[in-house]
Amino acid sequence: MWFLCVFYHRLLDFRKPEVEALAELFGEDESLQWRLPEHHHNDTPFHFVQLSSEEIAQNIAKRSILVKGMYELWGEGTCYEELKESIQSFPDSRKLPFLTSDSTFRISVETFGKALTFDEQKERIHSLTYIPFEGKVNLKNPDHNFFLMEMDESEESNGLPPIVQRRIFFGREVGFADRKLLPTFQLKSRTYLGPTAMDAEMAFLMANQANAASGKLVYDPFVGTGSILVSAARFGAMTMGADIDIRVVRDGRGPDCNVWSNFKQYGLPAPVALLRMDNNVPPWRSGLKEIFDAIICDPPYGVRAGGRKSGGRKILRGTVDPYTVPEDKRTGHIPSTGAYSLVECVHDLLHLAARMLVMKGRLVFFFPVLRDECGSEVKFPEHPCFKLVAVSEQILSSRYSRVLLTMVKVGPYSDEVEEAARLMHLEFRENHLKWLEEGNIHSSVFKPSTDSSQIQTESKTFKDPKPKYRGKYV
Amino acid sequence: MRLIMHNMLTCNIKGVINKSPLRIEAEKVIKKEVDFNPDFLRHMLAKIEWKALVDGARSMGYTELPVHAPGIESDEPFLRKFHHALLELNLEEGSLVCQESGRKFPVNKGVPNMLLHEKEV
């Protein structure tokens, strides 16, 4: 069945992948078919999607963050006469069950890129009298909610992608996103925050990409303040986290201001386990594998927070031999840590995921990219056990963005696979990260552009000097 | 630290050959209630090292677990005991000891510290 899916006009790259991930969670086996309305650009909020049932459509919409509404389309047209014809040709068997005299309904008029006065809206609602509504109107809590959506041909200035032709849709609402989650979980009111705490909306999107749900175990190897796990827990998953920094994981900022209190704040079950460990030298017992349903994380890119691994700087370089800490100084000793490049960090993450994820488990993580590379093909880290199913870019500044990668485990882990992965990692490191001299994106992001030639190239590669429509940059 | 976490850990010091579960030295154990979820428990049952779980539970003062895990059918009374041992027993203070090297990994405020010292990497 085809449904009209209207998205919130933001985080454009994240919209369809979220619906696709949730479709899989709610039982769709095949990949989804999408269709654009006539004359609409791919960035439009309006998309048609094919789903097996209304129940699945409703489940997807309710759990999503970016679906403004999922509608069963009763008719469309470029003018009200066309709309009337279209609605009248929509089979009665599909319409009448929702127009019965014992039901309540409401018709809402929504316009995109323009405003209508109350009288104009009433006029449009009254033009629909050819639809045999038998029930009573209930504006507060109707059984069935109908939407009349109107948009005109427009230039870029209304905040939407250019729409070439006036279009009107009429449909019955099947489901919509619960955006109330966002003010409830917003970081502004979170008890314990850190500099890289994940914003609530993005954390929920990540939890949706990973299909976090009740009965599943979700792991974050860079847990920090637990912001990503909070969203996974809100969707019912059991959570587990690790971090190399013990102050964040164990102490926080006090007994009422730590990772545990973040969960308590929302009445969510606390993580099943938090531990301090180094992902580079992980303490997993032999034989342990395929235990996590999803791994969701935001590895340190080295821009505002750098990754660390065991071994101080001098030890890792070989200047100093590893030393033994004297017996009396051993308790409370904080082992030195050294720089952990993004590339190595991601390789360890892929290795962890390859071994510890169940088959068809999902790995969802952010990877930074420099924006002036967007002309050339951007290559992402790969692993033989994984299939990349979604790539969503979030623009952070004129210099760089981060992409949310969603990978599904399709092949089992073995020593042979690990050897192949190690070679892939070496190839990736050699060939695809020209900006990483020592795995350091920080300098590329923060270096000042001083000479004029550089300024010229920047304006050439910066393809959209003025955002044509807001959604692309949000 | 719950036994579900303990069951996954080992000592990974350079030179240690058997990556086997650690012995628990409990100093402070508390019980925290967790919602009972049979699907989750059944999923975990297949992954858990049973002997380590039984030994771990014993060191924390819980002796009701059967010595061998049941085969295919796991009934509710068993799942309840499993649930209690796996998720509701918390080691707040204590340490995890490697059977091979004797290295102790401290557990403070419920968080185990598995970070290795400089020479151990």
Side-chain angles (χ1 to χ4, degrees):
Chain A
M1 300 165 74
W2 285 96
F3 292 90
L4 171 63
C5 182
V6 182
F7 290 108
Y8 282 103
H9 194 56
R10 50 187 287 102
L11 298 171
L12 303 188
D13 273 2
F14 291 77
R15 305 171 303 169
K16 286 204 225 167
E18 184 187 34
V19 171
E20 290 176 346
L22 292 179
E24 193 186 298
L25 177 64
F26 290 113
E28 291 281 2
D29 306 310
E30 311 269 319
S31 54
L32 297 186
Q33 299 236 26
W34 294 90
R35 213 172 29 90
L36 275 177
E38 235 177 284
H39 304 301
H40 277 229
H41 180 280
N42 192 42
D43 290 347
T44 177
F46 300 91
H47 292 262
F48 290 110
V49 64
Q50 195 178 54
L51 296 166
S52 307
S53 72
E54 182 167 318
E55 194 189 335
I56 292 185
Q58 188 179 55
N59 287 333
I60 293 175
K62 272 183 0 191
R63 165 103 180 224
S64 80
I65 297 294
L66 294 177
V67 173
K68 188 168 180 193
M70 196 74 96
Y71 308 93
E72 175 187 52
L73 195 72
W74 283 22
E76 57 175 315
T78 49
C79 59
Y80 280 88
E81 289 70 40
E82 265 182 45
L83 180 71
K84 178 172 174 180
E85 269 174 46
S86 174
I87 295 179
Q88 283 175 330
S89 64
F90 188 64
D92 274 350
S93 56
R94 303 279 300 276
K95 295 198 297 243
L96 295 179
F98 304 100
L99 302 173
T100 56
S101 51
D102 56 351
S103 67
T104 53
F105 74 98
R106 174 193 164 151
I107 303 178
S108 309
V109 177
E110 292 224 329
T111 46
F112 294 84
K114 65 179 188 182
L116 291 179
T117 64
F118 184 63
D119 283 333
E120 285 172 319
Q121 289 183 39
K122 252 177 49 176
E123 197 193 306
R124 281 151 171 79
I125 294 177
H126 285 306
S127 76
L128 299 172
T129 44
Y130 53 85
I131 306 177
F133 288 102
E134 301 269 315
K136 283 181 133 101
V137 172
N138 180 334
L139 294 181
K140 281 226 168 86
N141 203 7
D143 295 324
H144 308 296
N145 217 338
F146 295 93
F147 279 78
L148 182 63
M149 293 171 256
E150 190 179 314
M151 61 216 76
D152 288 344
E153 63 273 355
S154 58
E155 292 305 306
E156 21 187 271
S157 48
N158 66 359
L160 289 175
I163 290 170
V164 174
Q165 199 187 58
R166 178 170 150 87
R167 199 118 200 107
I168 310 168
F169 293 114
F170 182 78
R172 178 178 63 86
E173 187 182 67
V174 158
F176 55 92
D178 178 14
R179 295 282 288 188
K180 291 205 204 73
L181 278 180
L182 301 189
T184 311
F185 284 82
Q186 64 183 349
L187 288 186
K188 253 193 336 200
S189 29
R190 180 90 41 105
T191 343
Y192 179 45
L193 285 180
T196 50
M198 185 58 69
D199 152 67
E201 182 179 31
M202 190 52 78
F204 283 118
L205 282 172
M206 292 171 88
N208 277 337
Q209 284 297 133
N211 285 347
S214 168
K216 294 193 179 183
L217 184 59
V218 164
Y219 179 62
D220 183 350
F222 306 96
V223 68
T225 54
S227 44
I228 294 176
L229 293 185
V230 163
S231 312
R234 172 61 180 72
F235 288 141
M238 305 285 267
T239 56
M240 189 181 283
D243 203 292
I244 198 170
D245 186 351
I246 194 148
R247 292 163 300 171
V248 165
V249 157
R250 182 191 64 192
D251 308 324
R253 238 173 262 128
D256 292 317
C257 184
N258 50 39
V259 181
W260 312 104
S261 65
N262 274 344
F263 285 78
K264 193 158 161 209
Q265 180 181 357
Y266 305 112
L268 293 171
V272 145
L274 285 179
L275 79 154
R276 178 205 201 180
M277 68 171 220
D278 178 359
N279 292 313
N280 193 239
V281 201
W284 307 122
R285 71 160 159 88
S286 56
L288 182 71
K289 59 176 183 151
E290 297 189 2
I291 195 160
F292 299 122
D293 294 286
I295 295 178
I296 319 178
C297 60
D298 184 24
Y301 326 138
V303 177
R304 294 192 305 128
R308 308 297 290 175
K309 67 173 182 185
S310 298
R313 192 172 28 110
K314 290 183 184 158
I315 295 177
L316 290 171
R317 267 200 226 144
T319 332
V320 162
D321 281 331
Y323 44 83
T324 322
V325 180
E327 216 33 76
D328 54 337
K329 296 221 163 57
R330 217 168 275 181
T331 26
H333 171 69
I334 298 183
S336 27
T337 52
Y340 191 26
S341 71
L342 173 65
V343 151
E344 197 181 353
C345 180
V346 170
H347 170 69
D348 288 340
L349 174 65
L350 287 172
H351 181 201
L352 164 79
R355 185 172 155 199
M356 299 301 185
L357 272 182
V358 301
M359 287 299 287
K360 304 225 287 185
R362 287 174 168 238
L363 168 63
V364 177
F365 67 102
F366 268 110
F367 188 76
V369 286
L370 283 182
R371 289 194 65 207
D372 61 16
E373 281 176 10
C374 63
S376 52
E377 266 279 316
V378 183
K379 268 285 221 162
F380 299 114
E382 298 175 300
H383 191 287
C385 289
F386 288 98
K387 175 177 162 197
L388 183 65
V389 300
V391 174
S392 308
E393 183 186 6
Q394 181 185 31
I395 296 172
L396 297 176
S397 77
S398 59
R399 296 269 181 95
Y400 81 121
S401 325
R402 58 184 181 180
V403 279
L404 186 66
L405 300 176
T406 307
M407 301 191 179
V408 176
K409 181 169 166 183
V410 293
Y413 177 76
S414 67
D415 290 330
E416 294 83 34
V417 161
E418 189 42 40
E419 186 50 34
R422 198 181 63 85
L423 296 172
M424 267 184 174
H425 158 68
L426 289 175
E427 202 254 319
F428 182 75
R429 200 172 66 180
E430 295 304 316
N431 298 325
H432 299 296
L433 297 172
K434 304 178 279 291
W435 42 268
L436 296 182
E437 283 123 44
E438 262 167 38
N440 190 350
I441 189 177
H442 184 278
S443 52
S444 304
V445 171
F446 288 111
K447 71 174 192 278
S449 52
T450 42
D451 52 11
S452 54
S453 60
Q454 235 185 14
I455 295 172
Q456 263 181 18
T457 28
E458 271 210 17
S459 59
K460 253 192 279 179
T461 54
F462 193 32
K463 285 188 193 137
D464 304 305
K466 247 190 345 212
K468 287 205 171 72
Y469 38 94
R470 254 191 95 239
K472 204 173 170 76
Y473 290 85
V474 167
Chain B
M1 183 204 64
R2 295 178 166 91
L3 285 173
I4 185 174
M5 176 89 263
H6 161 256
N7 206 273
M8 301 208 268
L9 299 176
T10 189
C11 172
N12 54 343
I13 293 180
K14 195 167 64 175
V16 163
I17 305 170
N18 284 322
K19 305 270 189 227
S20 52
L22 306 160
R23 186 165 53 85
I24 297 182
E25 272 178 15
E27 273 157 47
K28 181 168 162 213
V29 176
I30 62 179
K31 295 187 175 62
K32 283 191 197 158
E33 247 186 66
V34 171
D35 287 337
F36 181 70
N37 188 331
D39 291 323
F40 178 71
L41 292 171
R42 286 203 179 92
H43 176 209
M44 283 296 125
L45 193 52
K47 319 281 176 187
I48 290 287
E49 224 220 58
W50 193 256
K51 181 170 185 303
L53 181 68
V54 174
D55 291 340
R58 286 226 171 100
S59 347
M60 307 233 278
Y62 185 68
T63 47
E64 316 252 342
L65 277 183
V67 174
H68 294 290
I72 306 125
E73 272 315 302
S74 38
D75 59 344
E76 182 158 326
F78 165 76
L79 281 182
R80 290 266 168 196
K81 288 190 202 157
F82 180 48
H83 170 79
H84 186 76
L86 195 72
L87 296 172
E88 293 187 328
L89 295 172
N90 272 281
L91 184 67
E92 280 292 298
E93 304 285 332
S95 37
L96 303 173
V97 186
C98 173
Q99 323 263 33
E100 203 174 308
S101 63
R103 165 74 147 95
K104 289 195 189 188
F105 294 97
V107 178
N108 301 112
K109 296 195 210 166
V111 175
N113 182 348
M114 307 304 295
L115 228 51
L116 303 178
H117 295 319
E118 286 76 358
K119 191 133 187 159
E120 297 167 332
V121 178

